Amino acid sequence: MNSLAWLFDTILHYLRIALFAYIMMDLLVKFDAINTYNRLVLAVINFLSRIFEPMLKIIRLVLPKVGGIDISAIILILLLEFISHLVQEYAYGPY
C-alpha cells in the first residue's frame, strides 16, 4: 500500500508543479512577456490548458470571483494539497 500511496503522492506533486507553470505561463502571455507565435510555447500552453481548465471551470462555477479576481487556481492548489495529505495519512497513519 505504501508504494501506491507514494506513486499517487508523486503524481499530485508533479500536478501541482504543472499547475504553477500553467499559471505563470498564462500570466506571461496575458502581459505579453511571451507570445504564442512560438510553437513550443503554444503547444505547452495548450497541453496544460487541456489538463487544468476542466478542473478550474468546475471551481469557477461553484465560487464566484472575489473582487474581480479569479481564485480558482488557489483553490485547486489547496485541494490537491489536501488530497495529498489525505493519502499520506491513510498510508502512513496520522502525523
Side-chain angles (χ1 to χ4, degrees):
M1 181 64 193
N2 288 343
S3 60
L4 288 175
W6 172 83
L7 177 65
F8 194 68
D9 189 45
T10 303
I11 290 170
L12 287 174
H13 176 72
Y14 286 120
L15 198 60
R16 285 190 304 265
I17 292 172
L19 178 60
F20 183 72
Y22 174 65
I23 293 167
M24 289 298 111
M25 288 187 78
D26 189 49
L27 283 173
L28 290 173
V29 167
K30 286 180 182 176
F31 289 120
D32 287 330
I34 59 174
N35 58 16
T36 55
Y37 295 117
N38 186 341
R39 287 184 172 218
L40 178 65
V41 171
L42 184 63
V44 170
I45 289 176
N46 284 338
F47 174 73
L48 293 174
S49 176
R50 288 180 186 172
I51 292 172
F52 293 114
E53 279 303 320
M55 292 182 263
L56 293 171
K57 187 183 291 185
I58 292 170
I59 295 171
R60 288 178 188 132
L61 289 174
V62 175
L63 295 174
K65 289 185 178 181
V66 177
I69 298 172
D70 184 18
I71 60 168
S72 60
I74 296 169
I75 301 298
L76 184 58
I77 289 172
L78 289 174
L79 284 173
L80 291 173
E81 191 70 29
F82 177 71
I83 293 169
S84 175
H85 282 277
L86 279 179
V87 167
Q88 289 177 5
E89 187 175 325
Y90 178 71
Y92 306 116
Y95 296 110

